[in-house]
Amino acid sequence: MERRTVVIQSRLNQYVQWYIFLVMLLAVTFFVTSTRAFDYREALTKSLLYFEAQRSGRLPYNQRVSWRDHSGLTDGLEQGVDLVGGYYDAGDHVKFGLPMAFTVTMLSWGVIEYGEHIATAGEYEHALEAIKWGTDYFVKAHTSPNVLWAEVGDGDTDHYCWQRPEDMTTSRQAYKIDESRPGSDLAGETAAAMAAASIVFKTTNSHYSHLLLHHAQQLFEFGDKYRGKYDSSVEVVKSYYASVSGYMDELLWAALWLYKATDKEEYLEYAIDNAHSFGGIEWAITEFSWDVKYAGVQILASKLLMEGKHKEYDHILEQHKSKAEYYLCACLNRSDNNNVERTPGGLLYIRQWNNMQYASSAAFLLTVYSDYLQNANQKLHCPLGMVDAQEMLDLAKSQVHYILGSNPMSMSYLVGFGPRYPLRVHHRGASVVSYRENKGFIGCTQGYDNWFGRTDPNPNLLVGALVGGPDSNDNYRDERKDHMQSEACTYNTAPLVGIFAKLYMMGEYQNISQVSSLKSSY
């Protein structure tokens, strides 16, 4: 009898333990689900879809954004050059070289840092396709060592019309920079894009990688030898993408990317020798964008310092690191002056026009620098105290979460993600009936008459687009006419690709480690 009681008691204890384990497993599952409120993998997938919606040229057989069709098939014809392809920058149909190149640089940087995570999420090929659609165009646009086609289309005439890209009747005039009309900023950013992309393709397509590197080196030499701002040579761009910061930041940026791509000391020496005169160790700023690259330059240089391989340049690299920290501390509100503004809901706020571009690029720099600090076992030195890698990542996550819907409007600003997002994006192609559904020609002003002024949601969903976003008080108007808030740009979304992949993998590791630790206790 006693033996039977002991056996029953033992079994009861086992059942109780298993019951506790199941309850705790459910609790962990709930905890993981509640703390990881956003599906980063879905966000990653959708962010890459957006670039397919922005494609110009002849679309490939595997085009997934089905409401788009071929467009701009005669680009460059009048000038006797093939300029078919590339990306439309936003809701219009001009191909602006500077923001397009920055978009590709940021996509490539994201893959360089988080390529394995992107692959684990099943999106590596799509990420490479997004990069290659841009670099294929740059190869075409760089028709000789000292000639780069800077723009196709004209902003003024293009903005006069509201048409689908497939119906374009606006000017497709092409503009170039060359020896007599220099554009060191454009040449430098395109060189940076091609150098960064050459790193991405090095293991999967070595021939293409070499081709990109060849073009990058030529463009850098061209931009350095014939110096000047591209908006002085291509004046039609001044109202849209004027180079306010000049070209020195792009030359430093290109030199560091070429050093990363080639490991040739000459490029690092260039960046070191020109660090003072070009502003790399002089400019302390709180913006990183398609125009202003200094923070990116300073963060790349800081990584070189942390790696400890360039002792002879440490005195210059230390100054770069100081300026990088100025930018990061300002974002973290840990500076004693000139902190980056935040909305009441916590969004970093630089300016009212398309502010999301600054929030997404800041989130990327915060993310990569937190990795650099963690790998070097270091902390960020701010005037108002030390900051560890986790705090930096937490700020980056807060910006991503705001973008995905954790904000006072409870709206995702990434179109197509979550239950509520902008439905009236300022975008010609998305706001007019799809060409694939109705091939009837829609004229220049007909689009304004019949489609632009409608209050209905856009007939085509611009999935993955990051719109300009709310104002300084977190208010957003989902109106097509409000292009300050409702227009999306390629360089808004590009920095998010790498971050989404990083956060996705962090969530996966968290799930595994929590369940594993629970199992090990039994």
Side-chain angles (χ1 to χ4, degrees):
M1 187 71 178
E2 286 183 13
R3 186 170 178 274
R4 187 180 174 189
T5 302
V6 169
V7 170
I8 292 171
Q9 187 63 47
S10 176
R11 286 180 179 172
L12 281 172
N13 288 341
Q14 286 180 344
Y15 291 147
V16 168
Q17 284 186 344
W18 274 107
Y19 176 77
I20 293 171
F21 170 74
L22 288 172
V23 169
M24 291 184 70
L25 186 60
L26 287 169
V28 167
T29 303
F30 174 78
F31 173 77
V32 169
T33 304
S34 61
T35 55
R36 192 176 154 222
F38 299 105
D39 187 339
Y40 301 121
R41 184 176 184 177
E42 180 191 348
L44 171 62
T45 297
K46 290 183 172 177
S47 67
L48 287 167
L49 271 173
Y50 169 60
F51 295 97
E52 295 191 20
Q54 294 302 109
R55 285 171 170 171
S56 180
R58 185 168 293 280
L59 303 185
Y61 73 92
N62 61 347
Q63 169 81 10
R64 295 176 296 163
V65 179
S66 59
W67 52 268
R68 282 296 323 282
D69 211 330
H70 311 310
S71 63
L73 299 182
T74 61
D75 284 357
L77 185 63
E78 291 181 21
Q79 290 75 33
V81 59
D82 178 8
L83 295 176
V84 176
Y87 287 114
Y88 303 122
D89 73 303
D92 53 23
H93 304 133
V94 184
K95 295 191 297 202
F96 293 104
L98 187 58
M100 193 194 306
F102 180 69
T103 294
V104 172
T105 306
M106 294 308 295
L107 283 171
S108 298
W109 196 359
V111 173
I112 290 166
E113 298 287 348
Y114 306 114
E116 288 185 10
H117 302 343
I118 294 170
T120 301
E123 292 295 336
Y124 194 71
E125 290 303 316
H126 291 139
L128 264 57
E129 286 170 4
I131 294 167
K132 194 171 185 293
W133 196 266
T135 52
D136 282 351
Y137 174 77
F138 298 147
V139 169
K140 288 181 175 183
H142 185 214
T143 49
S144 65
N146 296 338
V147 174
L148 176 65
W149 291 88
E151 180 179 331
V152 179
D154 170 65
D156 291 339
T157 60
D158 185 275
H159 287 198
Y160 178 73
C161 296
W162 194 266
Q163 289 175 288
R164 303 173 296 195
E166 297 84 1
D167 289 331
M168 274 190 292
T169 56
T170 51
S171 167
R172 300 307 288 171
Q173 173 72 37
Y175 304 87
K176 66 181 178 180
I177 56 172
D178 54 26
E179 295 171 9
S180 61
R181 290 163 292 191
S184 303
D185 30 25
L186 175 60
E189 184 59 60
T190 311
M194 297 176 99
S198 76
I199 300 171
V200 171
F201 289 102
K202 192 171 184 178
T203 55
T204 59
N205 190 339
S206 60
H207 175 75
Y208 189 64
S209 175
H210 284 303
L211 175 66
L212 295 180
L213 200 51
H214 173 70
H215 281 280
Q217 290 171 314
Q218 282 192 341
L219 281 166
F220 177 71
E221 290 173 17
F222 163 49
D224 186 42
K225 185 175 181 180
Y226 300 96
R227 294 182 183 177
K229 287 174 59 179
Y230 92 116
D231 59 9
S232 297
S233 300
V234 183
E235 292 192 1
V236 293
V237 82
K238 278 189 174 178
S239 299
Y240 303 95
Y241 289 102
S243 182
V244 178
S245 71
Y247 59 79
M248 293 178 183
D249 52 338
E250 277 86 9
L251 288 178
L252 293 172
W253 179 241
L256 288 178
W257 278 112
L258 278 163
Y259 176 65
K260 284 177 69 71
T262 64
D263 211 28
K264 289 184 177 179
E265 202 74 13
E266 64 191 82
Y267 294 115
L268 179 55
E269 288 175 358
Y270 180 97
I272 295 296
D273 292 344
N274 292 288
H276 175 72
S277 59
F278 281 12
I281 58 176
E282 298 299 316
W283 281 95
I285 52 173
T286 57
E287 171 189 329
F288 177 60
S289 67
W290 59 265
D291 179 32
V292 187
K293 313 296 160 47
Y294 283 115
V297 168
Q298 291 152 359
I299 280 173
L300 288 179
S302 298
K303 186 184 183 186
L304 295 177
L305 178 69
M306 292 180 200
E307 290 171 346
K309 298 176 182 176
H310 310 280
K311 298 293 185 184
E312 68 275 28
Y313 302 132
D314 276 5
H315 63 296
I316 298 295
L317 295 177
E318 284 281 5
Q319 293 177 69
H320 276 104
K321 187 169 181 281
S322 173
K323 295 300 186 290
E325 290 180 341
Y326 180 92
Y327 170 83
L328 298 163
C329 293
C331 290
L332 287 153
N333 279 188
R334 292 297 192 90
S335 181
D336 49 10
N337 57 37
N338 206 29
N339 285 317
V340 175
E341 252 186 83
R342 295 189 194 182
T343 67
L347 181 69
L348 294 172
Y349 194 82
I350 301 294
R351 57 180 60 90
Q352 67 179 138
W353 199 295
N354 188 20
N355 180 67
M356 277 300 187
Q357 64 173 306
Y358 308 109
S360 66
S361 61
F364 182 85
L365 292 189
L366 286 160
T367 301
V368 296
Y369 204 81
S370 73
D371 286 342
Y372 298 165
L373 284 180
Q374 190 169 39
N375 292 338
N377 196 26
Q378 295 181 14
K379 291 187 177 183
L380 180 67
H381 298 262
C382 291
L384 299 184
M386 303 283 278
V387 178
D388 62 20
Q390 186 59 50
E391 186 175 341
M392 294 183 67
L393 184 60
D394 287 344
L395 176 59
K397 283 175 69 175
S398 76
Q399 300 307 293
V400 171
H401 289 176
Y402 188 106
I403 287 168
L404 295 181
S406 182
N407 57 65
M409 295 286 290
S410 296
M411 172 179 281
S412 166
Y413 293 106
L414 191 78
V415 178
F417 184 89
R420 184 169 181 244
Y421 46 80
L423 298 174
R424 298 164 188 85
V425 182
H426 181 95
H427 189 277
R428 286 157 177 77
S431 65
V432 181
V433 62
S434 169
Y435 180 81
R436 295 204 177 202
E437 285 184 24
N438 181 356
K439 290 183 170 57
F441 176 74
I442 295 175
C444 173
T445 58
Q446 187 182 350
Y448 276 115
D449 294 339
N450 298 340
W451 294 96
F452 177 75
R454 289 190 177 195
T455 57
D456 294 341
N458 288 348
N460 309 305
L461 198 60
L462 194 64
V463 174
L466 178 59
V467 296
D471 63 18
S472 59
N473 291 310
D474 299 301
N475 297 314
Y476 179 80
R477 296 194 305 170
D478 187 14
E479 297 178 6
R480 204 169 292 117
K481 65 182 180 182
D482 188 356
H483 48 288
M484 279 198 301
Q485 292 194 332
S486 68
E487 190 167 20
C489 302
T490 57
Y491 45 87
N492 293 16
T493 297
L496 294 177
V497 171
I499 309 175
F500 287 151
K502 158 101 175 170
L503 296 180
Y504 165 69
M505 286 308 297
M506 282 180 62
E508 291 303 295
Y509 291 141
Q510 184 182 38
N511 290 1
I512 294 167
S513 63
Q514 286 172 334
V515 173
S516 296
S517 63
L518 183 59
K519 284 181 178 177
S520 66
S521 64
Y522 285 90

